[in-house]
Amino acid sequence: MPRSSRTNGTGPEVTIDTAVLADLLDGRWKTQRRAIRDLYADERFARVPGLSMAEHRERILDQCRALVDIGMPRRGFPGADGSQPLPGGNVAGFEELAVHDPSLQIKAGVQWGLFGSAVLHLGTEYHHNTFLSGIVELEVPGCFAMTETGHGSDVAAISTTATYDEQAEEFIIHTPFEAAWKNYIGNAALHGVAGVVFAQLITQGVNHGVHAFYVPLRTRNEDGSAGEFLPGVRGRDNGHKGGLLGVDNGMLAFDQVRVPRRNLLNRYGDVAADGTYTSSVSSPGRRFFTMLGTLVQGRVSLGGSALTAAKMSLATAVRYGNQRRQFTGPDEHDEVVLMDYQRHQRRLLPRLAKVYAAQFMHHQLSDRYHGVFSGAHDTDADRQDLETLAAASKPLATWLALDVIQTSREACGGAGYMAENRFTGLHADFDVYVTFEGDNNVLLQLVGKRLLTDFGREMAKMDVAGAVRYVADQAADMTLHRTPLRRVQQSIRDWGSKARSATELRDPDMQRELLEDRVESLVERVAMELKDTREADAATAFELFNAHQDELIQAARAHGELLQWEAFTEALAGITDPGAKKVLTWLRDLFGLTLIEENLDWYLLNGRISTQRARTVTSYINRLLPRLRAHAGDLVEAFGYSPEMIGAPIGTDAEGRRQDEARDYYRAQRARGSEPTPEKHLPRGSVTDKELTTA
C-alpha cells in the first residue's frame, strides 16, 4: 500500500503510510489473516448468489473440505509429527472466513472450533488418539450439543442426563422432556455423524454437574456422507433462519442412548469402572467454569469475525461516499461528494473510530488467548482474565458490527439495500452473533460480577487507616461531584475559553480520567447497594441484585469501552510513522470524546463535567471530523479488504465513473452553449402563466 497525502484545506498536509496502518490493524497474525482473505481468488470460495438453502448448505460443506485440502484446520491441533498448535494464528484465520461467507466461518467454527476443540481440551490421550484425526480431516463431521430449548445461556441448568450403569460400564444419555432437546445445533440437521454432548453426569445417585461426552449420532454411507440417525437418537431440521442459511442447524434428542464409559471427556472429571467419581477440581462451581473456559475460542472468534463484517461494511460505505455526489453546493454546476457533508461524516467517522478501538482490544484478547492455550501463560488467574476479557469484548464487537452494517447500508441509500452490495446479507448473518456463545447481556453480567468481586477484594485488603481514608474520600467526592460546587468551579475555569477546554479534552489523561471515573462510580454504587446481600436470605438477595442488574451491565459495558480506549492508546505508543500517529491520535480522540458525548447525561447529572465543557465536547468532535474526513479513504484501505474481495459493486470505482460521465456530459453542453436555461435564471416576469401552460 502506498504512502498517501491528504489535507483538509485548513492546515498543513499530513502524509500517512497505509502499509503501516495495515500491519497495525492485522496485528501479530497478519500472515494468517491475509492468507485466508486471499482465498477470494480461489473459485472454490467464490460467492454464488441465488442458491437455495439446500444448495447453500452443500456448497459450504464443500468449502470446508477445501479448507482441509489447504491444511488450515491443522493449525489448531497437535500434529502427528509432534508439531504444536498455533492457537492465536488459527483463530485469526478463522475470523477472516467471514469475508467469503459467514456461513463458512460458522460451519468451520462448529467443526473445528467447538466439536474438535472440545475433544482436544476436555478429552485426554485416549480421545485425542481415537477421535481427533477424523475430526481434523473432516472424515467425521460433528456437532457441539450444548444449548437446550429450555436453557440457552444457563448451561449449568441443562436437563439432558448421562447416568452411569456400573454393570455395563456405560453412560446412558437421555433427554427427559421436550425442553431438554438440544437446539440450534450446527451440523445436526444433515451432516453431523457424531457430537460432543453436554449432560448432567450422574453416578451412584449423585449429580456431579455438566460434563461432555463423545456420542455417535448417525450411520455413514458408502461415500462417507451422513446416513440415518442411530437407534435412540432423534432430530429435526431447524429450517429457514434469519441468516446463515449455509449452516444446517437442527435439534437433537436422546432416548436412553448408551455410550462406553471411556467416551466421557475426562480431563476435569472421571468415573471409574465401579462408578466412583474423581476430579482434579474439587469445587463443582469452579470445575464447571474451568471446563467451559477451555471453550472460550468461540467468543474470541465471533468478536473478531464481527469486526471483519464491520470493516467490510465501512470500506464499502466510505468508498461509495467518496464518489457519490448529491445536491449542488457553492458551485451550481457541481454536486457535493457525500463524504463532504458533516452529517455523513458524523454517521461514519465515529463508527470508524470505534472499529479501530475494538480491533486493538481484540488484538490484546487474541494475544491472551494464545498465551493461555500455547501454555506460555496458563495459570488459573490467566484463564480467569481471558474469560473476563472475552466476555467484555464479544458483546461490544458484535453489537458494533450490527450498528455499523446498518448505518453503512443507510449511508449508501437505496443502492445499499441491493443484495449484491452485501449489507443486507451481512446484517442477517451477523444478527445471531449477539446471542451466539452466550447472550451479550449475560456475558456483560459476568464481567460486572468480576468487577464487583475485584472491588470487594480491594475493600477487604484495607486496614483501619485505609478504611478511614476511604470514607473521607467518599465524603470529599460527594462534596466535589454531587453538589453544584464542582460544576461552578469548572464552569468558571472554562468560561470564555473554549480553546482551553478543547486542549484539556485532547489530553489523554483527561479522557482516561473521565472514562475511568464513570466505570469506578458505577461499580462502586452497585457494590454499596449490594453490600448487605451476604447477610440476607436468598429471596432478599435476589431482589437486591435484580434491582441493580441494569446498572451492573452498564458498568460492565463502560469497563469494556475503557479497555478499548486503553488498547487504542497503547497501540499509538508503538507507531513510528509520524503521519499515521497524528491521524490515529485524532481518531483515538474522536473515539474517546464520542463515548463521553454519548454519556453526557451521566457526566452532567453526576457533576463530572460542566455545561460549558459539555458543549465543547460536541464542538471539538465537529472540528475533528474534517481532519479525519481527508484520510477516511486511507483508513478503510488499511483494513485490507479490496473491492474485489468484498464483491460489492458500489464499493468499486463504478460510481465514480458514472459521476464523471454525467459531469462531462453537462460540461460539454455548457461548452457548446446548448444547455437549457433554468427557469429561475430568467428575468422576473418574462414568462407568463399562459406561456408556461402553452409550453
Side-chain angles (χ1 to χ4, degrees), residues 646-660:
I646 297 172
I650 58 170
T652 66
D653 61 357
E655 179 64 24
R657 289 197 304 270
R658 284 192 294 269
Q659 294 290 333
D660 289 343

Side-chain angles (χ1 to χ4, degrees), residues 83 122 204 217 247 301 303 333 358 361 412 524 639 642 653 677:
S83 58
L122 298 180
Q204 297 179 339
L217 301 174
V247 183
S301 62
H333 298 302
M361 180 180 175
C412 294
E524 176 190 304
F639 289 154
S642 68
D653 61 357
T677 302

Side-chain angles (χ1 to χ4, degrees), residues 34 126 147 207 236 289 316 363 376 413 435 469 608 623 647:
R34 293 169 184 175
Y126 165 76
T147 300
N207 184 346
R236 59 176 177 260
F289 284 109
T316 298
H363 287 333
T435 47
R469 285 195 300 274
R608 261 54 172 186
R623 286 169 57 189

Side-chain angles (χ1 to χ4, degrees), residues 91 95 105-106 296-308 362 394 397-398 401 430 432-438:
V91 169
E95 292 166 0
Q105 194 260 333
I106 293 301
V296 72
Q297 173 178 332
R299 289 174 186 169
V300 175
S301 62
L302 286 178
S305 57
L307 292 177
T308 296
H362 186 71
K394 183 259 185 181
T398 52
F430 279 89
V432 75
Y433 279 49
V434 302
T435 47
F436 260 166
E437 293 296 305

Side-chain angles (χ1 to χ4, degrees), residues 442-488:
V442 174
L443 292 180
L444 286 180
Q445 182 170 289
L446 292 176
V447 176
K449 287 181 176 179
R450 173 67 186 273
L451 293 173
L452 290 178
T453 299
D454 290 347
F455 179 84
R457 285 173 180 163
E458 289 301 312
M459 292 294 292
K461 290 177 185 176
M462 286 186 184
D463 55 17
V464 174
V468 170
R469 285 195 300 274
Y470 176 78
V471 172
D473 288 343
Q474 294 306 294
D477 183 72
M478 290 289 287
T479 303
L480 193 61
H481 295 302
R482 301 177 197 275
T483 70
L485 177 61
R486 170 70 167 179
R487 293 191 291 274
V488 169

Side-chain angles (χ1 to χ4, degrees), residues 1 17-27 30 34 637-639:
M1 291 182 184
D17 188 339
T18 49
V20 170
L21 294 185
D23 286 346
L24 189 68
L25 282 165
D26 286 341
K30 58 180 178 288
R34 293 169 184 175
E637 293 304 322
F639 289 154

Side-chain angles (χ1 to χ4, degrees), residues 574-614:
I575 301 175
T576 55
D577 180 67
K581 189 159 192 166
K582 173 173 276 192
V583 172
L584 286 196
T585 298
W586 292 338
L587 199 65
R588 190 278 316 274
D589 290 346
L590 178 61
F591 173 67
L593 295 178
T594 297
L595 291 179
I596 293 167
E597 185 185 51
E598 288 173 347
N599 296 288
L600 272 181
D601 55 346
W602 185 90
Y603 288 105
L604 287 165
L605 287 171
N606 289 274
R608 261 54 172 186
I609 199 168
S610 68
T611 354
Q612 172 64 54
R613 184 161 299 186

Side-chain angles (χ1 to χ4, degrees), residues 169-237:
E169 294 190 29
E170 293 175 331
F171 284 98
I172 304 169
I173 313 296
H174 187 60
T175 307
F177 40 74
E178 185 179 356
W181 276 61
K182 301 296 182 182
N183 207 347
Y184 320 117
I185 309 302
N187 280 341
L190 293 174
H191 301 143
V193 299
V196 169
V197 177
F198 287 80
Q200 305 285 350
L201 189 158
I202 300 169
T203 181
Q204 297 179 339
V206 178
N207 184 346
H208 292 280
V210 176
H211 288 65
F213 301 81
Y214 186 93
V215 181
L217 301 174
R218 285 184 172 94
T219 61
R220 299 290 298 274
N221 296 323
E222 289 185 6
D223 62 358
S225 62
E228 300 297 321
F229 280 121
L230 292 169
V233 181
R234 291 182 292 161
R236 59 176 177 260
D237 197 327

